[in-house]
């Protein structure tokens, strides 16, 4: 904080009162940005540490009209280094899309969906979508925080509309946050007068205490590049391995009914390739059994599906989709395809795109390509469950 404040030449020629741009105009500008893409270097230094921990962050955001849960959609991608010249030791991302929030780090993907459970989105301090790591440096969130600070009587601040910082003209908002007459935070926000965008932030949290922490944030050039994700499927395409290996929730597959079966393609036993495009109409009801050759009850689940197909009053086709890639092993377990049946291997992408995290999982698809129901796991009554679930599809 001290080094940053010393670098500000307060004696620079100030703008005339008529020409000075007020702090509110800067705050309003960043609060109302429609699209943003920028890069940030985020350094954290603790009193006991010799070197700061340095995060490199790629920020992307776009406004979603009508969404009251957050100021914008966002995708925050970051990596961490123990020092400027060290190798990356950790990386992750956070994303928010119209009532769905995702955060990934340390081989753990957490996700929250408003339609599934609203509580995490409406708890104090803005909910999970507003308190993910680094959301505070997104311009739209920063604008909201600055609006709160300048209205807070416990935040004593000074606005300098024209001064010098590292040889360039800047505007600076600097202040102290008081808590029971003690300074809990010192903050300096530096802006580019030409663009009204933030250039740097320096925070001293709990100054003078054993828990003192210095945070230095530097923004680089930004653009209005198109926001890269519109749906959960886009995020899954961007991070297929994360969703495949580290997804902890079955939310997606349990909420698949009522949606179109996603596009997928996988090799079939015999060498040909089976492909399905979202929106295709199978013409006949379809039961897709997503199975794993390494799971003990896989043979029993396949037998239950085949027994249902043979005895159901409603005719349906069957796809047995092994997530594993060993065709010989799949052939040993499933044998030859029966009439109206297709056996696939290497169907992990299908499982991923449907949000399947445990096998067996059965998907019921009507003649128009819409998933009507799902069954998770195997039971002794699976054959009857399949027949009863398929019957309304006739």
């Amino acid at each position: 904080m001290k080094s940053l404040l010393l670098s500000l030449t307060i004696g620079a020629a100030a703008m005339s009162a008529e020409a000075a741009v007020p702090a509110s105009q800067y705050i309003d500008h960043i609060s109302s940005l429609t699209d943003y893409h920028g890069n940030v270097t985020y350094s954290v230094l603790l009193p006991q540490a010799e070197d700061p921990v340095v995060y490199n962050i790629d920020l992307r955001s776009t406004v979603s009209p009508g969404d009251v849960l957050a100021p914008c959609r966002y995708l925050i991608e970051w990596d961490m280094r123990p020092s400027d010249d060290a190798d990356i030791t950790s990386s992750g991302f956070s994303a928010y899309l119209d009532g769905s929030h995702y955060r990934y780090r340390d081989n753990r993907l957490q996700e929250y969906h408003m339609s599934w459970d609203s509580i995490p989105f409406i708890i104090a301090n803005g909910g999970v979508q507003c308190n993910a790591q680094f959301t505070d440096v997104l311009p739209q969130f920063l604008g909201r925080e600055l609006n709160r600070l300048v209205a807070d009587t416990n935040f004593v601040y000074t606005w300098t509309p024209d001064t010098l910082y590292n040889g360039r003209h800047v505007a600076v908002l600097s202040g102290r946050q008081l808590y029971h007459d003690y300074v809990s935070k010192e903050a300096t926000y530096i802006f580019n007068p030409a663009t009204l965008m933030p250039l740097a932030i320096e925070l001293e949290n709990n100054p003078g205490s054993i828990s003192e922490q210095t945070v230095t944030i530097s923004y680089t050039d930004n653009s209005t590049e198109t926001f890269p994700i519109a749906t959960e499927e886009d995020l899954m395409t961007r991070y297929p391995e994360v969703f495949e290996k580290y997804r902890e929730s079955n939310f997606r597959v349990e909420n698949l009914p009522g949606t179109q079966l996603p596009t997928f393609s996988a090799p079939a036993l015999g060498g040909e390739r089976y492909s399905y495009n979202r929106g295709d109409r199978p013409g006949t009801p379809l039961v897709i059994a997503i199975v794993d050759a390494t799971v003990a009850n896989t043979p029993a689940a396949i037998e239950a599906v085949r027994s249902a197909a043979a005895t159901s009053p409603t005719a349906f086709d069957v796809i047995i989709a092994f997530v594993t890639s060993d065709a010989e092993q799949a052939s040993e377990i499933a044998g030859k395809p029966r009439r109206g049946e297709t056996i696939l291997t290497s169907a992990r992408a299908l499982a991923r795109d449907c949000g399947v995290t445990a096998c067996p999982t059965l998907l019921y698809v009507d003649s128009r390509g819409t998933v009507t129901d799902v069954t998770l796991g195997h039971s002794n009554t699976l054959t009857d469950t399949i027949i009863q679930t398929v019957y309304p599809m006739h």
Side-chain angles (χ1 to χ4, degrees):
M1 181 76 170
K2 296 181 180 63
S3 62
L4 181 57
L5 291 176
L6 287 173
S7 68
L8 298 172
T9 307
I10 303 301
M15 290 181 170
S16 66
E18 293 78 16
V21 177
S24 59
Q25 190 167 333
Y26 286 80
I27 296 172
D28 290 345
H29 175 72
I30 61 176
S31 299
S32 60
L33 285 177
T34 301
D35 294 284
Y36 176 78
H37 177 209
N39 300 100
V40 164
T41 300
Y42 190 109
S43 301
V44 181
L45 179 64
L46 301 175
Q48 304 89 341
E50 294 183 3
D51 297 311
V53 176
V54 181
Y55 296 87
N56 296 295
I57 312 168
D58 190 76
L59 300 173
R60 301 169 190 262
S61 61
T62 188
V63 170
S64 182
D67 188 349
V68 298
L69 296 176
C72 57
R73 294 178 169 188
Y74 60 76
L75 175 63
I76 303 170
E77 298 170 307
W78 57 268
D79 61 61
M80 182 182 71
R81 305 168 190 267
S83 62
D84 287 333
D85 58 352
D87 293 332
I88 294 172
T89 59
S90 182
S91 62
F93 68 84
S94 297
Y96 173 73
L97 295 168
D98 301 331
S100 291
H101 173 65
Y102 311 82
R103 54 177 70 175
Y104 170 76
R105 68 174 300 154
D106 299 331
N107 295 337
R108 185 185 184 197
L109 175 64
Q110 296 174 283
E111 57 185 294
Y112 306 84
H113 301 271
M114 183 70 177
S115 60
W116 180 32
D117 183 4
S118 63
I119 298 302
F121 290 89
I122 59 176
I123 58 176
N125 300 320
V128 291
Q129 74 282 12
C130 295
N131 292 289
Q133 191 174 26
F134 307 124
T135 53
D136 56 334
V137 296
L138 280 163
Q140 294 93 334
F141 280 84
L142 177 60
R144 186 167 70 171
E145 172 63 7
L146 289 176
N147 265 319
R148 185 191 69 80
L149 284 176
V150 298
D152 186 351
T153 56
N154 289 316
F155 184 70
V156 181
Y157 71 93
T158 300
W159 172 246
T160 307
D162 186 24
T163 186
L164 291 178
Y165 168 66
N166 289 344
R168 65 186 297 180
H169 283 276
V170 297
V172 177
L173 189 154
S174 57
R176 299 178 300 160
Q177 182 81 53
L178 302 178
Y179 181 74
H180 296 312
D181 296 326
Y182 289 93
V183 178
S184 61
K185 179 172 70 173
E186 295 179 345
T188 300
Y189 302 90
I190 302 171
F191 294 89
N192 181 351
T195 63
L196 306 186
M197 296 296 292
L199 288 173
I201 302 170
E202 186 156 320
L203 308 173
E204 288 281 355
N205 296 315
N206 304 311
S209 72
I210 194 171
S211 59
E212 180 178 2
Q213 181 189 73
T214 300
V215 178
T216 305
I217 302 163
S218 299
Y219 291 80
T220 56
D221 292 340
N222 61 81
S223 69
T224 54
E225 181 179 310
T226 302
F227 191 63
I229 55 173
T231 64
E232 180 182 86
E233 286 74 17
D234 292 336
L235 190 61
M236 291 166 67
T237 298
R238 195 176 184 92
Y239 289 100
E241 184 176 4
V242 169
F243 278 86
E244 181 179 311
K245 291 184 177 180
Y246 306 118
R247 195 168 202 177
E248 297 182 347
S249 171
N250 255 353
F251 165 79
R252 185 67 176 93
V253 71
E254 291 171 349
N255 287 267
L256 204 58
T259 67
Q260 289 285 303
L261 181 67
T263 297
F264 68 95
S265 180
L269 291 185
E272 69 277 16
R273 191 167 190 85
Y274 181 94
S275 296
Y276 178 90
N277 294 312
R278 185 185 184 94
D280 285 352
R281 293 174 173 259
T284 301
L286 181 63
V287 174
I288 302 176
I290 300 177
V291 297
D292 187 335
T294 64
V295 174
N297 60 16
T298 292
I302 293 172
E303 182 55 36
V305 174
R306 285 172 167 168
S307 177
T311 58
S312 172
T314 302
F316 62 90
D317 290 338
V318 172
I319 293 178
I320 300 171
F322 284 87
V323 296
T324 40
S325 59
D326 191 329
E328 184 174 344
Q329 188 180 33
S331 182
E332 289 176 359
I333 293 173
K336 294 182 178 180
R338 310 287 175 86
R339 183 175 181 180
E341 183 180 281
T342 302
I343 301 175
L344 307 178
T345 61
S346 301
R348 193 171 294 278
L350 170 63
R352 179 199 69 212
D353 291 348
C354 292
V356 173
T357 58
C359 295
T361 292
L362 272 58
L363 311 179
Y364 303 86
V365 184
D366 66 17
S367 59
R368 295 170 297 178
T370 302
V371 179
T372 62
D373 211 337
V374 299
T375 298
L376 305 178
H378 175 265
S379 70
N380 293 332
T381 60
L382 183 56
T383 296
D384 290 338
T385 298
I386 296 169
I387 292 173
Q388 293 167 11
T389 305
V390 169
Y391 181 74
M393 299 164 60
H394 72 283

